[in-house]
């Protein structure tokens, strides 16, 4: 049994924004100071079992208007390789976030940007390889989302089960079939269920390029009516796709998806998502990162869309110390507030420690 490996990073950040919470108030600008502690534990518990725990605790103080916030997250993962044919994985997660910090993670952030979002989730995954070319993945998960203090957004529970079977046709191509059932429950909305089935494919286009696509049919019911039962379900298209380039100095990933997602306002909401991530290693010490995300509700009583564009440059001052500077542009559009956008400039000094 190997000794646990501990890592610790401490961030000190300064933020400056003309409208950090994307509100409609007059004179909403403010600066903020934040200190974050980010520990990590890697432990090879046995010859076939490993434990990974990663977390962050953040304290942020706005200089005017908004006050202090304590946020953070904890991710714990246990991996067990039973044999060359079977691997198991269990994941526990807790996160307490400001909606604008994870703006494109959920469309609910556009409805109450001053609330704090808490999520708790658990997931178990099994990966089985009955032969050299076949892979079967099965997963089951549960998640609770809360918005303490929000008068608009309510607590929502979500459960899902998925199974994915794929077969390698050649050294570059794999095809498969994926099925998923998701259920969302809340006190006021009752329950909604979404079921989908997709054909999937992965293709290695070159030494650095790969593509993943999926296309299929989804059935999602309307909110549960008094007396029980979901409303009418009708088949709709669902799909996703990613295109990635991974090389020593350059990483680029483009993604798109159309599917139903859990919402604290409507239970389930059909959403479009688009994403782009790029990392360019300019030198031994410097890395440039660009990220873009877009999320939009398709239909529903409250049309919403969110957009985030980020650019950052990280420079390593030494083996343990790095300095990062960047600018984010956030925009939200909702029926009650119209379109609101704001830029956030930030500078972060990071110290990393290591104890074997």
């Amino acid at each position: 049994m190997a000794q646990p490996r501990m890592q610790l990073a401490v961030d000190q950040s300064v933020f400056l924004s003309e409208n950090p919470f994307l509100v409609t108030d007059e004179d909403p600008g403010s600066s903020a100071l934040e200190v974050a502690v980010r520990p990590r534990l890697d432990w090879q518990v046995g010859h076939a079992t490993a434990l990974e725990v990663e977390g962050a605790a953040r304290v942020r103080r706005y200089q005017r208007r908004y006050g202090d916030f304590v946020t953070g997250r904890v991710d714990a993962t246990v991996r067990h390789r039973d044999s060359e044919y079977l691997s198991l994985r269990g994941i526990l997660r807790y996160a307490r976030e400001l909606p604008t910090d994870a703006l494109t993670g959920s469309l609910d952030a556009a409805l109450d940007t001053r609330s704090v979002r808490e999520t708790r989730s658990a997931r178990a995954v099994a990966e089985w390889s009955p032969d050299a070319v076949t892979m079967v993945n099965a997963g089951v998960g549960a998640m609770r989302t809360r918005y303490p203090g929000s008068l608009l957004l309510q607590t929502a529970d979500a459960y899902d089960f998925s199974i994915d079977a794929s077969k390698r046709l050649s050294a570059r191509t794999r095809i498969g079939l994926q099925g998923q059932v998701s259920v969302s429950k809340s006190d006021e909305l009752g329950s909604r269920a979404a079921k989908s089935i997709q054909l999937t494919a992965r293709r290695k286009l070159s030494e650095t390029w790969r593509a993943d696509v999926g296309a299929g049919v989804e059935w999602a019911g309307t909110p549960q009516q008094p007396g029980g039962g979901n409303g009418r379900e009708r088949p709709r298209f669902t799909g996703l796709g990613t295109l990635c380039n991974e090389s020593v100095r350059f990483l680029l990933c483009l993604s798109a998806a159309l599917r139903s997602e859990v919402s604290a306002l409507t239970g389930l909401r059909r959403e479009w998502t688009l994403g782009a991530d790029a990392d360019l290693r300019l030198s031994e010490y410097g890395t440039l990162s660009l990220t873009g995300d877009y999320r939009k509700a398709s239909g529903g009583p409250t049309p919403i869309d969110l957009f985030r564009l980020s650019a950052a440059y990280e420079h390593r001052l030494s083996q343990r110390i790095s300095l990062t500077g960047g600018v984010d542009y956030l925009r939200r559009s909702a029926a009650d507030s119209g379109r609101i956008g704001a830029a956030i400039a930030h500078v972060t000094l990071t110290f990393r420690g290591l104890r074997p």
Side-chain angles (χ1 to χ4, degrees):
M1 185 168 63
Q3 291 294 320
R5 180 182 175 89
M6 297 286 297
Q7 298 179 5
L8 181 68
V10 179
D11 300 334
Q12 301 177 65
S13 304
V14 178
F15 299 87
L16 179 62
S17 175
E18 57 186 342
N19 192 350
F21 286 85
L22 301 179
V23 295
T24 57
D25 304 348
E26 294 184 3
D27 191 22
S30 180
S31 60
L33 301 176
E34 180 181 272
V35 176
V37 178
R38 297 185 287 114
R40 179 182 174 89
L41 168 68
D42 294 284
W43 190 7
Q44 191 67 35
V45 181
H47 74 281
T49 306
L51 171 66
E52 302 171 6
V53 181
E54 185 176 8
R58 299 182 174 89
V59 178
R60 182 181 302 180
R61 165 164 289 184
Y62 283 92
Q63 301 307 300
R64 57 187 299 269
R65 296 180 59 95
Y66 305 109
D68 302 338
F69 293 92
V70 177
T71 59
R73 63 177 179 82
V74 177
D75 296 337
T77 303
V78 177
R79 305 177 190 274
H80 178 75
R81 186 173 179 82
D82 184 75
S83 66
E84 61 179 312
Y85 306 105
L86 178 64
S87 296
L88 304 174
R89 186 168 75 252
I91 306 166
L92 292 175
R93 290 176 176 165
Y94 169 80
R96 177 182 170 89
E97 305 169 294
L98 292 173
T100 49
D101 286 348
L103 184 69
T104 51
S106 169
L107 283 169
D108 295 333
L111 300 172
D112 193 350
T113 56
R114 294 190 185 183
S115 65
V116 174
R117 181 176 65 189
E118 289 186 353
T119 56
R120 296 177 174 87
S121 64
R123 189 163 189 82
V125 179
E127 301 176 352
W128 178 48
S129 300
D131 54 55
V133 298
T134 305
M135 174 69 72
V136 179
N137 296 335
V140 59
M143 180 177 68
R144 165 162 285 195
T145 304
R146 298 177 61 243
Y147 292 84
S150 176
L151 300 178
L152 178 64
L153 302 174
Q154 58 185 299
T155 299
D157 295 322
Y159 310 91
D160 74 274
F161 171 77
S162 63
I163 186 166
D164 178 5
S166 63
K167 184 173 184 178
R168 190 175 70 243
L169 300 183
S170 67
R172 291 179 176 269
T173 305
R174 177 177 288 273
I175 62 170
L177 183 65
Q178 180 186 71
Q180 182 171 355
V181 177
S182 301
V183 179
S184 173
K185 293 184 178 181
S186 64
D187 291 339
E188 293 186 12
L189 296 173
S191 66
R192 292 189 66 183
K195 295 162 283 188
S196 66
I197 185 168
Q198 292 189 80
L199 293 173
T200 61
R202 167 173 287 194
R203 173 73 176 177
K204 188 175 182 181
L205 305 175
S206 67
E207 292 303 315
T208 59
W209 286 95
R210 64 173 175 83
D212 293 81
V213 295
V217 181
E218 175 186 84
W219 296 264
T222 57
Q224 190 178 58
Q225 303 300 320
N230 281 340
R232 180 183 177 184
E233 297 181 347
R234 59 184 180 87
R236 295 182 293 191
F237 173 81
T238 182
L240 58 87
T242 60
L243 178 65
C244 292
N245 182 331
E246 300 179 13
S247 62
V248 176
R249 299 186 59 183
F250 181 64
L251 168 66
L252 172 66
C253 274
L254 307 175
S255 62
L258 174 61
R259 58 195 171 196
S260 292
E261 297 285 354
V262 174
S263 169
L265 185 66
T266 61
L268 284 172
R269 184 191 294 273
R270 190 163 164 85
E271 299 179 3
W272 278 98
T273 57
L274 300 172
D277 292 280
D279 288 328
L280 176 61
R281 187 177 178 184
L282 301 177
S283 67
E284 181 182 355
Y285 303 100
T287 301
L288 177 65
S289 301
L290 300 172
T291 302
D293 292 292
Y294 177 75
R295 199 176 192 107
K296 181 179 181 179
S298 177
T302 54
I304 307 169
D305 68 80
L306 304 174
F307 175 71
R308 185 186 191 107
L309 181 64
S310 304
Y313 174 74
E314 179 183 11
H315 189 83
R316 288 177 50 200
L317 302 177
S318 68
Q319 184 177 1
R320 295 180 180 271
I321 301 175
S322 63
L323 183 66
T324 303
V327 177
D328 299 348
Y329 176 75
L330 314 179
R331 192 191 73 198
R332 73 180 181 105
S333 301
D336 60 340
S337 58
R339 178 174 294 183
I340 303 174
I344 299 176
H346 52 88
V347 177
T348 301
L349 182 66
T350 300
F351 173 81
R352 296 179 177 88
L354 174 64
R355 183 173 69 84

